[in-house]
């Protein structure tokens, strides 16, 4: 059980609770492949609302049902469960279409299933390893089992600045499906996707072209038509999404390919575009790498444009360098017998809030409490993942009075400081500031 899988399951169970909790009786939950290997989903359902049962092919921890036939669960009656879940199991099943048939059989009418499977990651036999899944593959399995697809994603995240815990080499594919009759569903839970490539690079993007176009057009002048940079398949899809009436023309210098027309729209050269660009909104219709290059080239010429991709906010190497810099200063302080106490004494700080409780946050908490500083709370984007002898809140909650907030998520310090600007009436310091100031004050 990897962390990203647990976070997605927990998020989706709560997101769809209006479809899952439909009466005052307990929600019957079946977890397929529930054998506890480095964790399970059971804690998500640790309340009086749910009755959780685990099913697996072998007896063991967190297993309640072991069917004699793994493809025919005769031990379970038809229409027994309100919710069927599964994570990191379907890739180990030789005939998953038979499993999906059983999922549909044991679900009550309008029951929900949430299944998480890897789309990548290395081979891991347990005892066999058969498949990797993308949304289209999961949709096909649901269709064959006569389940209605509600949501599909790979690497789906609820917000663009979701914590790194949501990302991993598995690049989880998720399907949420419903047994007929179909009921009203909420909006899509994941607007964005965050995937890790083979080289470890993390790529963030909008989950669908529709979402990407909506986001790109937010800043457009609604009175102006759109010019699409790129007479290609992507441009054709955008044209269908925004509507022909909102697009004036395409821009593409490869006139031999377009013959001056594309999708019944004129195709201009870049030089022709420059003569009329002030009258129109400009949207680049290209792949991610090309879009970033074109946007930069247009900026050089003083032209504004929008793209369909999320511009990289972070570089993994930059983050590691930042992390290394902090640890190096901290270690040097320790070696020279320096303490953070002088910083807090000089600033007359006795009570602080700590933003971020990953590795650096934990070390910082230990050090400040050892010198008598009171930590009034810990602020974290994923408060449920943080535990300790302190109050934990999310950034959206009201922050208790403190003499200062110290941000241990150094790479995001400027962004976090802006977010906290109107919420706190005290200074906001970065961990690096505290370390450097403490070092200088003690010299």
């Amino acid at each position: 059980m990897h962390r990203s899988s647990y976070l997605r399951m927990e998020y989706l169970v709560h997101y769809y609770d209006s479809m899952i909790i439909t009466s005052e009786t307990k929600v019957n939950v079946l977890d397929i492949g529930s054998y506890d290997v480095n964790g399970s989903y059971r804690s998500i359902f640790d309340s009086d609302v749910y009755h959780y049962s685990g099913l697996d092919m072998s007896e063991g921890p967190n297993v309640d049902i072991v069917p004699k036939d793994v493809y025919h669960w005769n031990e379970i009656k038809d229409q027994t469960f309100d919710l069927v879940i599964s994570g990191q199991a379907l890739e180990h099943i030789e005939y998953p279409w038979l499993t999906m048939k059983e999922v549909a059989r044991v679900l009550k009418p309008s029951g929900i299933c949430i299944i998480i499977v890897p789309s990548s990651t290395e081979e891991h036999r347990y005892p066999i390893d058969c498949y990797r899944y993308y949304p289209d593959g999961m949709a096909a399995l649901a269709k064959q089992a006569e389940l209605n697809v509600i949501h599909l994603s790979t690497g789906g995240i609820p917000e663009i600045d979701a914590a790194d815990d949501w990302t991993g080499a598995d690049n989880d594919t998720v399907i949420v499906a419903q047994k007929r009759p179909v009921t009203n569903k909420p909006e899509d839970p994941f607007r964005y996707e965050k995937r890790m490539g083979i080289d470890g690079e993390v790529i963030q993007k909008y989950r669908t072209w529709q979402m990407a176009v909506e986001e790109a057009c937010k800043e457009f002048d609604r009175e102006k038509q759109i010019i699409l940079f790129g007479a290609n398949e992507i441009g054709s899809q955008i044209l269908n999404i925004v509507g022909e009436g909102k697009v004036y023309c395409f821009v593409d210098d490869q006139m031999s390919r377009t013959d001056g027309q594309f999708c019944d729209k004129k195709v201009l050269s870049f030089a022709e575009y420059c003569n009329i660009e002030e009258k129109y909104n400009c949207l680049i219709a290209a792949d991610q790498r090309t879009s970033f290059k074109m946007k930069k080239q247009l900026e050089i010429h003083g032209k504004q444009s929008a793209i369909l991709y999320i511009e990289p906010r972070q570089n993994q190497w930059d983050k590691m360098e930042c992390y290394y810099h902090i640890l190096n200063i901290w270690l040097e302080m320790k070696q020279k017998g320096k303490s953070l106490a002088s910083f807090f004494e000089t600033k007359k700080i006795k009570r602080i809030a700590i933003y971020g409780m990953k590795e650096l946050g934990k070390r910082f908490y230990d050090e400040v409490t050892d010198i008598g500083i009171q930590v009034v709370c810990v602020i974290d984007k994923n408060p449920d993942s943080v535990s300790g002898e302190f109050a934990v809140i999310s950034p959206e909650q009201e922050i208790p009075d403190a003499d200062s907030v110290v941000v241990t998520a150094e790479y995001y310090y400027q962004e976090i400081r802006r977010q906290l600007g109107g919420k706190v009436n005290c200074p906001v310091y970065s961990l690096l500031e505290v370390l450097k100031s403490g070092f200088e004050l003690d010299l």
Side-chain angles (χ1 to χ4, degrees):
M1 170 73 63
H2 51 274
R3 181 65 181 158
S4 61
S5 176
Y6 185 91
L7 287 173
R8 285 189 174 85
M9 184 63 75
E10 181 181 44
Y11 184 86
L12 291 168
V13 167
H14 295 310
Y15 190 87
Y16 287 105
D17 61 3
S18 63
M19 299 180 72
I20 296 168
I21 305 171
T22 57
S23 68
E24 295 182 0
T25 58
K26 284 195 173 185
V27 175
N28 280 327
V29 181
L30 178 65
D31 184 356
I32 302 166
S34 64
Y35 196 106
D36 190 339
V37 179
N38 300 321
S40 75
Y41 297 127
R42 183 181 285 271
S43 59
I44 297 173
F45 306 99
D46 189 18
S47 76
D48 293 337
V49 175
Y50 305 100
H51 180 271
Y52 172 97
S53 299
L55 179 148
D56 213 303
M57 61 187 294
S58 303
E59 293 182 352
N62 202 48
V63 178
D64 304 298
I65 304 169
V66 181
K68 292 181 179 179
D69 185 336
V70 293
Y71 297 113
H72 298 91
W73 308 333
N74 296 324
E75 295 82 358
I76 304 175
K77 295 180 181 179
D78 294 355
Q79 302 182 10
T80 299
F81 292 96
D82 304 281
L83 172 65
V84 175
I85 66 169
S86 180
Q88 285 63 56
L90 218 62
E91 70 269 25
H92 301 291
I93 297 174
E94 289 182 284
Y95 310 115
W97 48 92
L98 299 179
T99 301
M100 291 298 288
K101 281 284 190 181
E102 284 297 275
V103 169
R105 180 183 68 79
V106 303
L107 274 173
K108 293 179 181 179
S110 299
I112 300 292
C113 76
I114 303 173
I115 298 175
I116 300 175
V117 287
S119 69
S120 55
T121 203
E122 296 179 349
E123 183 181 29
H124 55 291
R125 290 179 173 174
Y126 201 79
I128 57 175
D129 190 6
C130 303
Y131 304 100
R132 297 294 177 267
Y133 293 92
Y134 283 105
D136 289 345
M138 292 305 299
L141 290 176
K143 182 179 179 181
Q144 190 264 349
E146 298 183 356
L147 294 171
N148 181 68
V149 174
I150 295 174
H151 168 78
L152 287 164
S153 63
T154 294
I157 52 176
E159 52 188 22
I160 196 58
D161 54 354
D164 291 342
D165 287 351
W166 284 78
T167 310
D170 288 71
N171 289 318
D172 299 321
T173 291
V174 171
I175 183 170
V176 182
Q178 184 177 34
K179 186 174 180 177
R180 297 184 180 91
V182 177
T183 57
N184 292 331
K185 64 176 182 178
E187 293 182 3
D188 205 296
F190 297 145
R191 186 173 181 81
Y192 311 97
E193 290 187 353
K194 191 174 183 179
R195 302 189 191 184
M196 181 178 290
I198 297 174
D199 58 359
E201 181 184 5
V202 175
I203 298 172
Q204 300 179 117
K205 65 176 186 175
Y206 300 104
R207 203 174 62 75
T208 65
W209 284 121
Q210 179 75 41
M211 293 175 180
V213 171
E214 288 174 3
E215 198 69 27
C217 294
K218 274 185 177 180
E219 303 301 320
F220 281 174
D221 183 339
R222 294 182 179 276
E223 300 299 318
K224 296 180 179 180
Q225 285 182 294
I226 298 170
I227 289 180
L228 295 176
F229 256 69
N232 52 37
E233 179 59 31
I234 296 175
S236 173
Q237 292 192 48
I238 297 172
L239 180 67
N240 291 332
I241 291 171
V242 300
E244 291 188 7
K246 294 184 178 180
V247 174
Y248 174 69
C249 69
F250 289 88
V251 174
D252 199 315
D253 273 334
Q254 297 184 38
M255 298 300 291
S256 60
R257 187 185 68 189
T258 59
D259 296 325
Q261 289 282 323
F262 184 74
C263 293
D264 296 326
K265 295 286 183 181
K266 290 189 296 184
V267 180
L268 305 182
S269 67
F270 179 71
E272 291 172 316
Y273 162 75
C274 289
N275 294 327
I276 61 171
E277 55 94 10
E278 292 184 0
K279 300 178 182 179
Y280 300 95
N281 299 305
C282 174
L283 179 57
I284 297 173
D287 61 74
Q288 185 163 339
R289 189 181 299 274
T290 304
S291 292
F292 290 138
K293 287 182 179 179
M294 291 178 67
K295 184 175 175 65
K296 285 183 179 180
Q297 290 172 354
L298 286 168
E299 288 173 352
I300 291 171
H301 287 85
K303 314 299 182 186
Q304 297 298 314
S305 62
I307 59 175
L308 300 168
Y309 306 93
I310 299 162
E311 298 192 57
R313 272 190 330 142
Q314 68 184 63
N315 180 288
Q316 293 300 317
W317 290 109
D318 289 344
K319 286 185 71 177
M320 291 302 294
E321 186 176 0
C322 180
Y323 192 85
Y324 166 80
H325 187 49
I326 289 173
L327 290 178
N328 188 49
I329 292 175
W330 210 336
L331 179 59
E332 189 177 354
M333 284 185 65
K334 293 290 186 183
Q335 289 174 334
K336 294 185 177 181
K338 306 301 180 183
S339 166
L340 297 178
S342 55
F343 170 82
F344 294 106
E345 290 170 3
T346 302
K347 302 288 186 182
K348 297 181 180 180
I349 295 172
K350 297 181 179 180
R351 304 169 75 251
I352 67 170
I354 299 176
Y355 194 115
M357 194 45 71
K358 284 200 167 184
E359 292 84 357
L360 292 177
K362 292 172 183 176
R363 301 291 78 78
F364 182 68
Y365 173 83
D366 291 341
E367 183 143 342
V368 295
T369 52
D370 283 346
I371 60 176
I373 301 297
Q374 181 187 353
V375 178
V376 298
C377 73
V378 166
I379 309 165
D380 200 277
K381 282 187 169 294
N382 294 288
D384 293 340
S385 68
V386 179
S387 61
E389 297 179 355
F390 41 73
V392 186
I393 62 173
S394 70
E396 290 74 31
Q397 293 177 276
E398 185 175 347
I399 299 171
D401 289 336
D403 298 325
S404 76
V405 176
V406 179
V407 178
T408 65
E410 183 69 35
Y411 192 84
Y412 302 102
Y413 168 62
Q414 294 298 339
E415 180 182 339
I416 292 170
R417 186 177 181 181
R418 285 195 297 271
Q419 291 173 351
L420 294 178
K423 297 196 65 175
V424 295
N425 297 314
C426 63
V428 179
Y429 298 106
S430 72
L431 176 57
L432 189 59
E433 284 181 296
V434 175
L435 291 170
K436 283 184 173 181
S437 297
F439 205 134
E440 293 165 359
L441 290 167
D442 255 352
L443 290 175

